[in-house]
Amino acid sequence: MTLSPSSALDNDIDGDTLHEECGVFGILGHADAATLTALGLHALQHRGQEAAGMVVFDGQRFHSERRMGLVGDHYTDPATLARLPGDRAIGHVRYSTTGETILRNVQPLFAELEVGGIAIAHNGNFTNGLTMRRMLIADGAICQSTSDTEVVLHLIARSKHPSSSDRFIDAIRQMEGGYSMLAMTRTKLIAARDPIGIRPLVMGELDGKPIFCSETCALDIIGAKYIRDVENGEVIICEIQSDGSITIDSRKAEQPEAERLCLFEYVYFARPDSVVGGRNVYVARRNMGINLAKEAPVEADLVVPVPDGGTPAAIGYAQASGIPFELGIIRNHYVGRTFIEPTQSIRAFGVKLKHSANRAILEGKRVVLVDDSIVRGTTSVKIVQMIREAGASEVHIRVASPMIYFPDFYGIDTPDADKLLANQYENLEAMCAFIGADSLAFLSIDGLYRAVGGAPRNPDAPQFTDHYFTGDYPTRLLDRESTNNVRKLSVLAGNG
């Protein structure tokens, strides 16, 4: 998919998208903590565009700014940054996969506990979050948000361990699913990653001060040095000592599991210039296109990407096939998030508001149209129609990932299984007819694995998390398995 989820017209008129996850950033001991965090969140904006938040500590007090909208809408204002003094900060950009899009759900969440104040933020989703919430409420807990992050705060508060670090570890060890999480206390910045490393988290350093963030692009924007990935199941505790020095302590699981990074980080979510799991995302996407050209060749005049997500794969397809690469679709980057009220009469313009066909390039040509993924297929229908209207003689769709058959429960907001294109038609030919293309082909699961990791998929021990393609969920789905859990949470309605 190449459309993002921030508003109906800026992206998702028909719900035909894989919605972004979230992004986290934290820094300890730097005088410019808030400014650096704002820059880091700006680099991670692609991971969540509904809201952004930051909590800082100035040595005496915690300060919080949580806002709906984009990072640049709020955190470029000097007055906002002036309200965020201190040398330690954590921040978050959000797309909600659990909980409503309201201000009280915006992270980081903060609580004053027996061990002192603590702010937490996370990327991903807990597959037992509702189960734990029901248990806590039954035991007297009061929940103020519908975010599953709040469950972790309650578990920290109830832990009997004496230190905030041990309480945090005790809490997250009770949670299941895919997550990367940051916590900040008066003296500590704590980073944690789920036991199999579904969600990414990296460690960096700037002026000798530790940084944690979802992707390396957030380090690049501030000139920080990449140190290493946080390992799956690892908790790293950075603490400022009384003399100003910072100690770093790593805690790992006694019985570590094999890492299984989410493949969609490479297909869609991560920025092309990021390095995820030691692999450059752009190179992986270009490799997807190369493998796709080998698996699904076709005679054509042009290779055209669906911008922007399909561009690296289209470059790879063109290189491997020898068919010229052209920008046959031009993306309008300046459509406002609230450009126009999305009434039914306007919805028909949806794709054209964001993409326009380059008629001079397309007219009379046989086109290979490369996209990164297809969810419902409704956007593909409109793009194919737009290209044909521009005069293309043939349109052949090539998708740089396998068909999506199964929903995700680890932080990607996917449609229900029966809404996915792959489950609505009996075969590839029927899908192709629905979309209106002359041919349609998807990258194989082994082709994707080779593009990212260099080896075919091992069905006995998959190297990556790939359940949306295969149905092989890497953890229990406790909330889905329990008949007592209801997905809709009841919380007082309000304006924030």
Side-chain angles (χ1 to χ4, degrees):
M1 283 301 306
T2 53
L3 305 178
S4 61
S6 32
S7 72
L9 283 181
D10 192 22
N11 16 347
D12 187 18
I13 291 177
D14 295 300
D16 185 23
T17 181
L18 291 177
H19 283 164
E20 274 93 336
E21 303 160 321
C22 299
V24 295
F25 185 98
I27 186 168
L28 181 68
H30 201 288
D32 297 320
T35 299
L36 294 170
T37 301
L39 289 168
L41 294 180
H42 179 74
L44 297 171
Q45 187 74 85
H46 59 286
R47 300 187 70 88
Q49 299 155 35
E50 289 183 350
M54 194 188 309
V55 173
V56 302
F57 183 68
D58 65 4
Q60 298 294 325
R61 299 178 56 193
F62 289 90
H63 304 266
S64 174
E65 287 282 337
R66 299 186 299 159
R67 303 292 185 89
M68 305 302 298
L70 301 175
V71 175
D73 292 342
H74 306 292
Y75 295 96
T76 55
D77 184 354
T80 300
L81 292 175
R83 293 194 295 270
L84 294 168
D87 67 349
R88 63 212 74 172
I90 62 171
H92 186 267
V93 288
R94 181 174 193 266
Y95 173 76
S96 59
T97 56
T98 300
E100 301 171 275
T101 309
I102 52 178
L103 189 59
R104 61 172 162 260
N105 283 336
V106 178
Q107 300 180 40
L109 300 184
F110 175 82
E112 189 69 42
L113 309 179
E114 180 187 8
V115 291
I118 186 169
I120 62 174
H122 95 283
N123 163 36
N125 209 46
F126 299 120
T127 54
N128 66 337
L130 287 174
T131 301
M132 297 300 292
R133 176 184 288 268
R134 288 176 60 88
M135 180 196 74
L136 289 164
I137 291 175
D139 199 32
I142 299 173
C143 293
Q144 296 294 315
S145 76
T146 56
S147 169
D148 55 358
T149 312
E150 187 177 13
V151 171
V152 180
L153 279 179
H154 281 285
L155 293 175
I156 294 171
R158 288 166 181 250
S159 175
K160 301 304 181 183
H161 289 279
S163 74
S164 57
S165 304
D166 290 334
R167 287 187 177 213
F168 176 82
I169 293 171
D170 182 30
I172 64 168
R173 294 292 188 245
Q174 299 176 60
M175 305 307 297
E176 300 177 18
Y179 60 86
S180 58
M181 177 170 283
L182 298 182
M184 185 181 70
T185 71
R186 291 172 176 267
T187 60
K188 300 172 186 175
L189 176 62
I190 307 172
R193 198 160 164 230
D194 67 78
I196 61 173
I198 297 174
R199 301 271 72 88
L201 188 63
V202 299
M203 182 179 185
E205 179 185 304
L206 181 66
D207 301 329
K209 311 303 181 183
I211 299 170
F212 297 96
C213 52
S214 294
E215 294 183 34
T216 59
C217 62
L219 299 175
D220 296 337
I221 197 172
I222 61 172
K225 177 185 177 182
Y226 166 80
I227 301 299
R228 65 178 179 90
D229 285 16
V230 177
E231 295 180 21
N232 52 298
E234 183 180 20
V235 178
I236 301 178
I237 304 158
C238 304
E239 184 170 12
I240 295 182
Q241 304 300 313
S242 57
D243 62 358
S245 64
I246 297 176
T247 58
I248 299 177
D249 179 25
S250 171
R251 311 270 187 93
K252 298 180 182 180
E254 292 182 0
Q255 297 179 326
E257 301 180 55
E259 183 182 60
R260 288 184 63 179
L261 255 167
C262 174
L263 270 178
F264 255 108
E265 292 290 342
Y266 299 101
V267 171
Y268 176 67
F269 287 120
R271 245 175 57 168
D273 55 330
S274 285
V275 175
V276 175
R279 307 169 186 90
N280 179 264
V281 175
Y282 174 84
V283 171
R285 290 177 185 168
R286 187 183 62 191
N287 290 342
M288 293 173 204
I290 291 172
N291 291 347
L292 185 59
K294 295 175 181 176
E295 293 182 1
V298 64
E299 291 188 6
D301 303 307
L302 303 174
V303 175
V304 172
V306 178
D308 289 320
T311 301
I315 291 172
Y317 194 102
Q319 289 176 349
S321 66
I323 301 171
F325 172 91
E326 294 284 358
L327 294 178
I329 300 174
I330 306 302
R331 182 182 175 193
N332 178 8
H333 291 266
Y334 304 102
V335 176
R337 285 164 51 82
T338 55
F339 174 70
I340 195 167
E341 182 66 25
T343 59
Q344 188 58 43
S345 60
I346 294 299
R347 288 177 188 270
F349 295 109
V351 168
K352 292 184 178 180
L353 283 171
K354 190 135 187 185
H355 300 99
S356 60
N358 191 350
R359 178 178 292 273
I361 296 298
L362 298 173
E363 193 164 16
K365 298 297 193 301
R366 298 169 297 172
V367 175
V368 181
L369 184 66
V370 179
D371 206 348
D372 53 24
S373 57
I374 292 182
V375 183
R376 296 174 184 257
T378 49
T379 301
S380 301
V381 171
K382 294 175 182 178
I383 290 178
V384 169
Q385 180 183 357
M386 182 177 68
I387 290 176
R388 289 199 186 280
E389 289 174 352
S393 59
E394 297 177 13
V395 182
H396 303 274
I397 294 185
R398 296 295 180 266
V399 184
S401 61
M403 287 188 238
I404 301 171
Y405 289 98
F406 301 94
D408 178 83
F409 304 105
Y410 302 102
I412 305 173
D413 191 12
T414 50
D416 293 336
D418 60 355
K419 301 294 197 304
L420 296 166
L421 178 70
N423 296 326
Q424 293 184 324
Y425 295 92
E426 293 183 358
N427 51 46
L428 200 63
E429 290 73 20
M431 290 183 212
C432 184
F434 165 73
I435 291 173
D438 292 281
S439 70
L440 171 65
F442 292 79
L443 183 63
S444 69
I445 188 69
D446 281 346
L448 177 56
Y449 265 75
R450 284 192 295 267
V452 175
R457 183 179 192 266
N458 179 356
D460 296 323
Q463 305 95 302
F464 298 96
T465 290
D466 60 11
H467 51 277
Y468 19 73
F469 306 129
T470 66
D472 183 359
Y473 289 92
T475 74
R476 294 193 308 168
L477 302 176
L478 193 59
D479 288 345
R480 302 292 298 184
E481 295 163 0
S482 174
T483 57
N484 294 324
N485 285 321
V486 180
R487 294 301 296 173
K488 186 172 177 61
L489 301 176
S490 176
V491 171
L492 179 69
N495 63 0

